Amino acid sequence: MPDLLFELFSEEIPARMQRKAAGDLRKLVTDALVDAGLTYEGAREYWTPRRLVLDLRGLTSASKDVREERKGPRTDAPVKAIEGFLRGAGLSSIDEAETREDPKKGSFYVATIVKPGRPAADILADILPSIIENFPWPKSMRWGATSSEAGSLKWVRPLQSILCTFGPETEEPEVVDFAVGGVAASNITQGHRFHAAGDIAVKRFADYAEKLERAHVVLDAERRKDMIRTDAQNLAFAKGLELVSDEGLLEEVANLVEWPVPLIGAFQQSYLDLPDEVIRLTIKENQKCFVLRKAEGLSNSFLLVANIEASDGGKEIIAGNEKVVNARLADADFFWGTDRQQIATEGFDPWIEKLDAVTFHAKLGSQGARVRRIESLAAKLAETVEAGAALAARAAKLAKADLNSQMVYEFPELQGFMGARYAQIAGENAAVAAAIEEHYSPLGPTDDVPTGPVSVAVALADKFDLLAGFWAIDQKPTGSKDPYALRRAALGIIRIVLENKLSLPLIPAVKAAYDQVHRDAFGQDVTAEIRDGGLADDLLGFFHDRLKVYLRDQGARHDLLDAVIDERADDLLAIAGRVKALGEFLDTEDGKNLLAGTRRAANILAAEEKKGTTIAVTVNADLFEVEAESQLQAAIAKAEKGVSDHVTEGRYDLAIPFIAALRAPVDRFFDDVLVNAEDEAVRANRLALLQSIGGVTAKVADFSCIA
């Protein structure tokens, strides 16, 4: 079966776009081929800074013939109707149609249309130009003499060549014949810009990859990453140093080079007085270099990755990078010194005052106003999380102050981190300094959550204010769009609460945040209808959706989540505890049998209610005729008390055994008792007894939702 080799070669593709673009290319091509009636055995994408590549194996050589039957008019239909049918079916005469009989509608015509299959090369020549012309780049450009013409090709960078060969492994592959934007497909590619200038003719993928390697191009991005990691570690080790791992930077650097060559440079020793994170970010953001460390801390050496094997061993490349790194660290040193002088002489007050001039959102006021809301809310949450109200308020007041520091202005990634350093210099409480740094956390699913009480209070207040604010102005996430990271904020609250085992009802916290936003941004209190109705129904539902996603990722069953979470459930820790305890119980034999019993009871009740059968309001023991009725009533009473006591304390693990104890008396009841007794009063009493089973189990979960 034939293979396809497809390469799009251009000027430098931005590193952050390459991986996704290669994946998009694979999906667009394979989807189009399948839609055209072709199949394939496997496809893999590759990318370098100058090329996107698709290696597609085992493509069928042609699409299959398609046979279609088209029903026509009755045989006695008007001539014009028959002529229209012939034109639509592509028939030259009615003799080419088949006549069929319908017992009810009589005779009618049927046309059999056969669409012959097409060679795969012809299909490729049709679909590939459109894929190139409509490629989903985030940003693209026009170039050259035709750039001013309407409909001229747009690409991320000027497209220089298209390589497209197709054919079986045992034969000479053919070049698929098409052109896009004046660039015709061929079997020619380019090697490394400096090491292997000139055209390279290739046949199929194995030949292509081998020739590129000889031309100083490592095609596989994962292999480039491994080469950089291994060579960098070995080079550092030889100098008695250790590479500081940074997977994000490694991904970016691997997408900047086709032939990675690690080198080591150095900066002035005096710059090691800067905070480690400042050094790392300065070197990373400005020069895409890695920092190195020794036993006692960071080294003044750094590791860069060149894209060339220089004739001088990389001396000029190292010197150029050292010049830039030293200049940028000199800037950072100046900012660090200026900020420390500011803190030493005037403290945080000037930075805090400037926050009033920084707009947070046009409809939600300034950063200063937001900080005051967070300060108030953090103090209110302090008692719940066992933090001192004064410390929580102080940490919240200082939390955003470093946004006005010169260091954070230059490196926004350092917000929080620098604030904590400045708080330490100013002699602030250690818990306050930690909260300033940690209140943004967690920033992602693998990020640690804050655990210190003051940090927790400020982090929660920050996220509650964010959610309440954007809910107040109706700027909620829609579809995949979430410009204000509100899903992340909600998930952050969920993780902070659950991982710190906090009993924190959401509704009071959200109401407090909502009230503050309305008073601050709109100069009015929230009406009870908006606060208690819209807020609970909408924002609480948003939390429920995030919680379900989080717990499902932790292995919870979706039906148990539905059984436990009702529209007013707002204690996250209690919900998680109920789901866990319920799941463990239902995995036992008692759990499975009790679930079957409660379903049987629910089905009986539903059927009787539908018939209009009377169900007693309360259970009357005087109407019991069978011992199993008395035993079930006693078991229900005992379970109701035990469940209620432990649910109030949030100990669902201790409440579940009381539910489990119902299993035997429920089984005995259905074995010994005829629910639909002839005596109407007895029947109504027995139905009430069944109804009381659901009343107890509902304190833990809605068993009707459980699969």
Side-chain angles (χ1 to χ4, degrees), residues 4 38 56 69 87 120 126 293 396 473 529 543 584 674 679 696:
L4 170 70
L38 299 176
L56 193 146
E69 287 191 350
R87 285 194 301 272
D126 281 348
R293 65 184 168 209
I473 61 172
E529 180 182 1
F543 271 106
E584 292 173 350
L674 177 64
D679 187 306
V696 177

Side-chain angles (χ1 to χ4, degrees), residues 396-456:
K397 184 175 183 177
L398 303 182
K400 311 290 183 183
D402 66 350
L403 296 177
N404 283 317
S405 68
Q406 292 201 38
M407 188 66 81
V408 173
Y409 181 82
E410 181 71 13
F411 299 108
E413 302 91 341
L414 289 174
Q415 57 188 283
F417 175 84
M418 294 312 305
R421 306 290 86 74
Y422 297 140
Q424 291 167 351
I425 292 170
E428 295 286 344
N429 184 285
V432 169
I436 294 171
E437 180 171 359
E438 296 173 354
H439 83 280
Y440 292 105
S441 299
L443 294 175
T446 60
D447 193 19
D448 292 336
V449 302
T451 56
V454 176
S455 297
V456 168

Side-chain angles (χ1 to χ4, degrees), residues 521-684:
F522 309 126
Q524 60 184 17
D525 288 336
V526 187
T527 64
E529 180 182 1
I530 293 175
R531 183 183 58 212
D532 297 337
L535 178 64
D537 292 343
D538 200 355
L539 186 47
L540 190 57
F542 181 72
F543 271 106
H544 289 164
D545 290 341
R546 295 299 95 207
L547 178 63
K548 288 179 180 179
V549 170
Y550 175 76
L551 291 179
R552 277 200 298 266
D553 288 344
Q554 304 297 309
R557 283 167 39 183
H558 68 87
D559 59 329
L560 301 190
L561 294 169
D562 292 338
V564 166
I565 300 175
D566 62 53
E567 63 180 12
R568 299 296 290 177
D570 74 333
D571 189 329
L572 301 175
L573 189 64
I575 292 171
R578 290 164 69 187
V579 170
K580 182 176 184 294
L582 185 60
E584 292 173 350
F585 170 56
L586 292 174
D587 284 339
T588 67
E589 202 62 32
D590 280 349
K592 293 170 185 174
N593 288 337
L594 180 60
L595 178 60
T598 57
R599 278 190 183 150
R600 184 175 176 184
N603 290 337
I604 292 171
L605 288 166
E608 295 306 315
E609 286 176 354
K610 189 174 182 180
K611 291 189 293 186
T613 304
T614 300
I615 301 175
V617 177
T618 58
V619 177
N620 183 355
D622 292 338
L623 294 174
F624 290 162
E625 296 178 345
V626 181
E627 185 179 359
E629 293 177 273
S630 301
Q631 291 175 342
L632 179 58
Q633 185 191 37
I636 289 172
K638 183 177 181 181
E640 187 164 21
K641 183 179 186 309
V643 168
S644 297
D645 289 346
H646 292 300
V647 164
T648 301
E649 299 168 356
R651 293 301 306 271
Y652 290 91
D653 56 329
L654 299 180
I656 286 293
F658 288 92
I659 294 286
L662 290 174
R663 179 260 171 107
V666 167
D667 288 349
R668 193 173 303 114
F669 178 86
F670 282 120
D671 287 341
D672 297 352
V673 176
L674 177 64
V675 176
N676 287 319
E678 292 185 9
D679 187 306
E680 184 177 333
V682 172
R683 181 171 65 247

